[in-house]
């Protein structure tokens, strides 16, 4: 971990934190985190890909971790985050990049990839694949689903405010590590789904947990609730079916609750996803949860490094 360097880049009027390891002359890999995560979620993968001869770059999105928040977090958009990623890559003078994204990070990765296909050497996503609106229009989410609840301004804030930041982050990690979708009943809130003495997942150490807590104590949840829960992925003006042509891998934990989101598993397993991502390979990790990259880092790192090596030739300009 002490070999991971940290820098701050002036990006689109904000000072954004970027963690980095590996030679600047090596093929570049940018890691895009989800929620409730920060750059640190990729610590195992960053070290592994650097040891395999790649340059690993993991930013904190604006309003997350050590990065500056936007002036008005409630007005932040996915476009802002996509533009930040493009600007980070340009600032580091990278012409071709592998993109690895998890959870809502994929909702930033795919618009970036569609806008800059010439910059993409390959893509790996976790938990989610490319889902343009047409793919999921007939699958409404339950009212008590955490995504639905947190979409309403003020509701999550009121729920979270009953607890300190440590408890909120702990509860989210516990809920998201389970195999069932977090759905609250009509008269309860999402935080009520976790019993007070429930332990953290066994694979998350107290030291690692403390890192997440300290940075959410710094950043709070204002930007995190806006992006991803209160904004929408913008694919731009697409008259035709948008397609991701680069080599792509989807890594899913077999026990990830995300597989039970209405329509998700069917969309992937039926092959419908290949209408949009024709060069997709899907890998299921046995017993893997929503945080499979932290839960089984050795297995995941092997998948990533094999993919990167197979497509290394594409990183050359």
């Amino acid at each position: 971990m002490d070999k991971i360097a940290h820098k701050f880049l002036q990006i689109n009027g904000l000072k954004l934190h970027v963690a980095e390891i590996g030679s600047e002359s090596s093929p570049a890999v940018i890691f895009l985190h989800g929620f409730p995560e920060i750059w640190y979620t990729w610590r195992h993968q960053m070290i592994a890909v650097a040891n395999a001869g790649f340059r690993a770059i993991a930013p904190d999105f604006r309003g997350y971790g050590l990065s500056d928040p936007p002036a008005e977090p409630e007005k932040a958009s996915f476009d802002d985050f996509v533009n930040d990623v493009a600007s980070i890559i340009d600032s580091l003078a990278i012409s071709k990049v592998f993109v690895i994204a998890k959870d809502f990070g994929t909702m930033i990765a795919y618009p970036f990839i569609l806008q800059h296909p010439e910059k993409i050497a390959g893509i790996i996503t976790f938990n989610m694949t490319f889902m343009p609106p047409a793919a999921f229009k007939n699958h409404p989410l339950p009212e008590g689903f955490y995504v639905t609840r947190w979409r309403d301004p003020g509701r999550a804030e009121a729920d979270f405010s009953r607890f300190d930041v440590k408890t909120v982050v702990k509860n989210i990690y516990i809920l998201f590590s389970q195999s069932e979708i977090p759905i609250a009943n009509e008269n309860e809130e999402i935080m009520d789904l976790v019993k007070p003495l429930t332990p953290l997942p066994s694979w998350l150490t107290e030291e690692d947990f403390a890192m997440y807590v300290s940075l959410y104590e710094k950043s709070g949840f204002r930007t995190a609730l806006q992006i991803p829960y209160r904004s929408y992925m913008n694919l731009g003006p697409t008259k035709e079916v948008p397609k991701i042509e680069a080599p792509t891998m989807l890594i899913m934990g077999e026990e990830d609750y995300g597989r039970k989101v209405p329509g998700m598993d069917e969309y992937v397993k039926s092959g419908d996803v290949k209408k949009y991502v024709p060069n997709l390979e899907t890998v299921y990790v046995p017993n893997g949860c929503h945080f499979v990259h932290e839960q089984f880092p050795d297995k995941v790192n092997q998948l990533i490094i094999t993919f990167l090596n197979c497509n290394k030739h594409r990183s050359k300009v």
Side-chain angles (χ1 to χ4, degrees):
M1 286 293 295
D2 57 354
K3 292 182 180 178
I4 296 177
H6 299 268
K7 64 177 68 172
F8 290 88
L9 303 176
Q10 280 297 136
I11 302 292
N12 300 324
L14 298 174
K15 189 171 64 174
L16 300 188
H17 168 249
V18 176
E20 186 174 2
I21 183 172
S23 169
E24 291 186 5
S25 62
S26 298
V29 184
I30 190 165
F31 291 87
L32 306 179
H33 65 77
F35 176 80
E37 296 150 320
I38 48 174
W39 76 269
Y40 188 77
T41 194
W42 298 114
R43 60 199 178 279
H44 304 300
Q45 286 70 48
M46 292 179 71
I47 293 168
V49 303
N51 288 340
F54 295 84
R55 178 186 184 187
I57 300 151
D60 285 331
F61 292 128
R62 57 171 63 197
Y64 281 81
L66 295 173
S67 290
D68 285 348
E72 298 180 90
E74 289 75 17
K75 293 184 179 179
S77 71
F78 273 104
D79 285 345
D80 295 332
F81 283 47
V82 173
N83 291 337
D84 287 346
V85 170
S87 297
I88 288 169
I89 289 170
D90 287 345
S91 176
L92 296 174
I94 294 168
S95 54
K96 280 264 191 174
V97 67
F98 288 97
V99 179
I100 299 183
K102 176 185 178 289
D103 195 64
F104 91 83
T106 66
M107 300 170 71
I108 294 152
Y110 280 118
F112 166 71
I113 290 160
L114 286 172
Q115 291 173 26
H116 304 281
E118 76 286 353
K119 293 181 180 289
I120 307 305
I123 309 133
I124 300 175
T125 64
F126 289 81
N127 316 125
M128 293 173 64
T129 185
F130 185 43
M131 297 181 295
F136 265 56
K137 62 184 177 183
N138 295 322
H139 297 284
L141 298 172
E143 184 281 328
F145 185 34
Y146 77 93
V147 172
T148 310
R149 288 290 180 88
W150 292 352
R151 191 174 290 159
D152 297 333
R155 185 151 192 175
E157 289 86 343
D159 187 12
F160 292 5
S161 69
R162 298 178 294 152
F163 308 95
D164 59 16
V165 170
K166 182 176 182 179
T167 302
V168 173
V169 175
K170 179 181 179 181
N171 286 354
I172 293 170
Y173 261 93
I174 290 168
L175 285 173
F176 287 10
S177 297
Q178 297 173 358
S179 60
E180 296 301 318
I181 300 175
I183 298 176
N185 293 321
E186 185 178 352
N187 296 318
E188 66 180 350
E189 298 299 326
I190 299 301
M191 290 293 106
D192 298 328
L193 296 176
V194 181
K195 294 177 180 171
L197 297 180
T198 306
L200 282 166
S202 60
W203 44 263
L204 186 64
T205 70
E206 287 294 338
E207 181 183 5
D208 293 334
F209 177 59
M211 173 68 83
Y212 291 116
V213 171
S214 68
L215 291 178
Y216 274 96
E217 285 175 340
K218 174 192 175 296
S219 68
F221 299 100
R222 285 181 69 189
T223 308
L225 287 169
Q226 174 64 18
I227 307 290
Y229 300 106
R230 297 170 188 170
S231 188
Y232 295 91
M233 181 173 67
N234 179 14
L235 299 180
T238 51
K239 293 181 181 178
E240 300 178 0
V241 174
K243 282 192 178 181
I244 304 297
E245 300 288 358
T248 306
M249 175 178 282
L250 168 64
I251 300 175
M252 292 282 289
E254 280 193 342
E255 302 301 320
D256 186 348
Y257 74 86
R259 293 185 62 191
K260 296 182 180 177
V261 171
M264 173 71 80
D265 218 32
E266 178 187 358
Y267 174 64
V268 175
K269 288 197 164 183
S270 69
D272 282 353
V273 63
K274 292 203 172 185
K275 296 175 187 175
Y276 311 102
V277 193
N279 299 310
L280 175 68
E281 176 187 2
T282 302
V283 179
Y284 293 91
V285 179
N287 303 310
C289 72
H290 193 65
F291 304 98
V292 66
H293 64 298
E294 293 193 78
Q295 181 187 15
F296 297 123
D298 291 344
K299 291 180 183 178
V300 167
N301 292 348
Q302 185 176 9
L303 290 169
I304 289 174
I305 291 167
T306 299
F307 178 90
L308 295 177
N309 282 332
C310 285
N311 295 285
K312 194 173 183 178
H313 64 283
R314 291 177 50 85
S315 65
K316 298 175 183 176
V317 179

